[in-house]
C-alpha cells in the first residue's frame, strides 16, 4: 500500500511515523517549506514517549507534487481551513481508486471533500491520538489513542474496515464505526466548549471548570450542538455529552491548554473556529435553529485573531 500523508504537521507526522515504523511506503506532503527542508536534511524527528526517534521519509511540497505518482491511500491532516487548498494541490496524485481518509477535527468537511474526490473514495474518521509540533521537522508524540472511521460512499463498508485494519497493523488502534458523525459531533462538543472558552478566558481547562458559571455555559453550548445535529438526524445525548465535556476538569488533564489556545494565544495562528462553533452557527442559520452562544463565541474568536494579528 502506497500511503501519502497530506498535511504533515503534528498529527500527520504521528501517523506518518507510525505507519513508516510499521513497514509501509509513506510519503509526506505539506505546504510549510521550513518544515519540509528540516525533514529532508535531518529526517522527521520525534520525542516519542520520551525517546528520541528519527525517520527518513520522502517529503514533497504540496504545490509541486509529481502527478505521475499515484497513491492507494491519502490521509488528510491539514487544519480545517487548509483542506480545500490541499485537495486542490494534490489532485494529480489521486488516481481513480485512491482512497482519501479525512481525520480533521470539526464539522462540514465532506462538502469540501466531495468537490475534489468521488464520494465512493471518501472515508471520514475521528481520532483520539494527540501530537504537538515543536518546530520545523520536530514533533512531540506522547500517550495512546485510537481512530474510528467510516465510508461516506454507499456500500464501501468493507473498504472502511480494510483501512481500519491497515492502520491497526501499525499500532494506530483503528476501528470501523457505523455512526462516525455521532463521534465527530461528540468530539466537536469538547472542542466547541473547551477550545474557545479557555482561549477567550485565558485559562486552562481545570481553571475554567472551577468557575461558578462553567456548567451553565457548557450546557447552553452543548444544547446548541444537539439542536443542530438533530436536524441532521443525529441524536446527541446531551447529559452524557455534558459529562463528557466536564471530564476535561479531571485532575489528570485539568492543567491542559487546548490546541486552539496553543495556536492562537501562544503561536498567533488562526483557529479552526469556523469548523467548530462557526459550523454550528452556519448550520443553525440554514435550519432555522437559533445558536446565540456559538454565534457570539465564533465572532469573539475572530476578534481575538484580529487583535493578535494571527496568521
Ligand atoms: P498542525 O498545525 O500541526 O499542522 C497542520 C498544517 O499546518 C501542517 O501542514 C503544518 O505543516 C502546518 N503548519 C504548522 N505550523 C506551521 C507554521 N508555523 N507555519 C506554517 N505552517 C505550519 O495541525 P495538527 O495539530 O496536526 O492538526 C491537524 C488536524 O488534526 C486538525 O484538524 C486538528 O484539529 C486535528 N487534531 C489534532 C490533534 C492534536 O493533538 N494536535 C488531535 C486530534 C485531532
Amino acid at each position: 500500500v502506497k500511503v501519502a500523508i497530506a498535511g504533515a504537521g503534528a498529527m500527520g507526522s504521528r501517523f506518518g511515523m507510525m505507519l513508516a515504523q510499521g513497514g509501509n511506503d509513506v510519503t509526506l506532503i505539506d505546504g510549510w517549506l521550513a518544515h519540509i527542508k528540516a525533514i529532508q536534511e535531518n529526517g522527521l524527528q520525534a520525542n516519542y514517549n520520551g525517546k528520541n526517534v528519527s525517520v527518513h521519509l520522502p517529503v514533497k511540497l504540496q504545490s509541486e507534487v509529481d502527478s505521475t505518482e499515484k497513491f492507494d491511500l491519502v490521509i488528510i491532516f491539514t487544519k480545517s481551513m487548509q483542506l480545500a487548498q490541499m485537495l486542490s494541490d494534490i489532485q494529480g496524485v489521486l488516481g481513480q481508486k485512491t482512497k482519501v481518509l479525512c481525520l480533521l477535527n470539526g464539522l462540514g468537511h465532506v462538502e469540501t471533500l466531495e468537490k475534489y474526490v468521488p464520494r465512493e473514495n471518501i472515508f471520514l474518521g475521528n481520532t483520539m491520538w494527540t501530537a504537538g509540533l515543536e518546530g520545523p521537522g520536530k514533533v512531540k508524540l506522547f500517550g495512546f489513542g485510537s481512530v474510528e472511521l467510516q465510508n461516506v460512499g454507499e456500500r464501501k463498508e468493507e473498504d472502511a474496515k480494510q483501512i481500519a485494519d491497515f492502520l491497526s497493523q501499525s499500532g494506530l488502534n483503528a476501528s470501523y464505526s457505523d455512526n462516525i458523525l455521532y463521534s465527530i459531533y461528540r468530539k466537536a462538543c469538547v472542542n466547541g466548549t473547551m477550545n474557545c472558552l479557555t482561549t477567550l478566558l485565558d485559562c486552562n481547562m481545570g481553571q475554567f471548570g472551577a468557575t461558578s458559571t462553567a456548567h451553565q455555559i457548557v450546557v447552553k453550548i452543548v444544547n446548541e450542538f444537539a439542536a443542530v445535529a438533530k436536524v441532521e438526524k443525529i441524536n446527541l445525548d446531551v447529559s452524557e455529552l455534558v459529562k463528557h465535556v466536564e471530564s476535561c476538569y479531571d485532575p489528570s488533564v485539568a492543567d491542559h491548554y487546548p490546541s486552539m489556545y496553543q495556536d492562537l494565544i501562544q503561536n498567533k495562528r488562526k483557529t479552526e473556529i469556523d469548523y467548530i462553533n462557526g459550523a454550528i452557527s452556519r448550520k443553525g442559520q440554514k435550519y432555522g435553529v437559533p445558536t446565540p452562544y456559538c454565534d457570539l463565541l465564533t465572532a469573539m474568536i475572530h476578534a481575538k485573531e484580529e487583535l493578535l494579528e494571527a496568521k
Side-chain angles (χ1 to χ4, degrees):
V1 182
K2 262 175 80 68
V3 188
I5 309 284
M11 289 299 285
S13 294
R14 171 185 278 285
F15 276 60
M17 187 170 256
M18 289 178 74
L19 287 169
Q21 285 175 335
N24 296 293
D25 175 348
V26 181
T27 299
L28 305 178
I29 301 175
D30 202 72
W32 183 17
L33 202 53
H35 185 52
I36 293 176
K37 284 196 172 144
I39 297 172
Q40 281 168 340
E41 278 164 30
N42 311 310
L44 177 60
Q45 300 189 306
N47 174 349
Y48 196 103
N49 294 323
K51 270 203 331 207
N52 289 325
V53 176
S54 84
V55 290
H56 287 269
L57 295 176
V59 50
K60 308 246 156 81
L61 188 62
Q62 67 188 67
S63 56
E64 292 175 2
V65 290
D66 173 5
S67 52
T68 58
E69 187 177 23
K70 305 287 180 209
F71 293 93
D72 301 307
L73 174 66
V74 175
I75 302 175
I76 315 262
F77 259 131
T78 60
K79 291 284 198 191
S80 302
M81 52 286 190
Q82 303 165 327
L83 176 63
Q85 184 65 52
M86 177 60 83
L87 289 167
S88 156
D89 285 343
I90 63 170
Q91 282 298 291
V93 301
L94 303 181
Q96 274 181 359
K97 297 211 163 144
T98 305
K99 297 182 177 65
V100 175
L101 171 63
C102 175
L103 292 175
L104 314 194
N105 278 337
L107 302 164
H109 300 319
V110 173
E111 287 79 354
T112 308
L113 286 154
E114 277 184 322
K115 290 185 189 144
Y116 301 90
V117 182
R119 200 172 162 81
E120 74 239 35
N121 290 341
I122 303 175
F123 297 81
L124 199 58
N126 181 43
T127 178
M128 295 296 158
W129 288 99
T130 62
L133 200 51
E134 297 201 298
K138 284 199 179 148
V139 288
K140 204 170 159 180
L141 310 176
F142 276 73
F144 195 71
S146 58
V147 182
E148 282 182 87
L149 65 94
Q150 189 176 18
N151 46 301
V152 168
E154 307 276 299
R155 293 187 300 277
K156 294 288 169 184
E157 288 76 9
E158 281 313 310
D159 289 352
K161 287 175 189 166
Q162 270 178 19
I163 296 174
D165 287 346
F166 170 73
L167 297 178
S168 292
Q169 281 158 20
S170 295
L172 282 159
N173 190 27
S175 57
Y176 170 77
S177 161
D178 61 10
N179 195 358
I180 195 67
L181 288 176
Y182 192 99
S183 306
I184 288 175
Y185 262 105
R186 190 168 187 266
K187 189 168 189 200
C189 284
V190 176
N191 293 137
T193 48
M194 290 304 116
N195 274 276
C196 47
L197 293 166
T198 58
T199 301
L200 291 169
L201 295 169
D202 199 357
C203 61
N204 64 35
M205 300 195 298
Q207 288 167 331
F208 169 69
T211 66
S212 61
T213 49
H215 181 68
Q216 123 196 18
I217 299 173
V218 166
V219 169
K220 290 277 190 193
I221 298 171
V222 171
N223 270 296
E224 291 184 3
F225 276 70
V228 165
K230 197 168 174 208
V231 180
E232 298 177 353
K233 305 209 167 30
I234 300 158
N235 288 309
L236 302 185
D237 176 346
V238 172
S239 61
E240 187 278 328
L241 270 169
V242 168
K243 279 202 198 100
H244 178 54
V245 169
E246 291 179 338
S247 69
C248 293
Y249 316 147
D250 188 273
S252 62
V253 288
D255 62 358
H256 179 68
Y257 288 87
S259 60
M260 186 175 288
Y261 184 99
Q262 296 175 33
D263 284 341
L264 184 54
I265 306 298
Q266 295 172 344
N267 298 318
K268 313 272 184 286
R269 290 182 67 202
K270 284 203 172 146
T271 71
E272 296 184 290
I273 194 74
D274 286 335
Y275 304 87
I276 310 170
N277 306 79
I280 295 300
S281 292
R282 280 195 307 280
K283 286 168 182 280
Q285 206 162 25
K286 187 168 145 198
Y287 304 152
V289 173
T291 58
Y293 274 68
C294 285
D295 299 351
L296 179 63
L297 287 165
T298 304
M300 286 184 73
I301 289 289
H302 282 315
K304 192 77 181 166
E305 288 174 339
E306 287 178 27
L307 289 168
L308 294 175
E309 296 179 20
K311 295 213 169 57

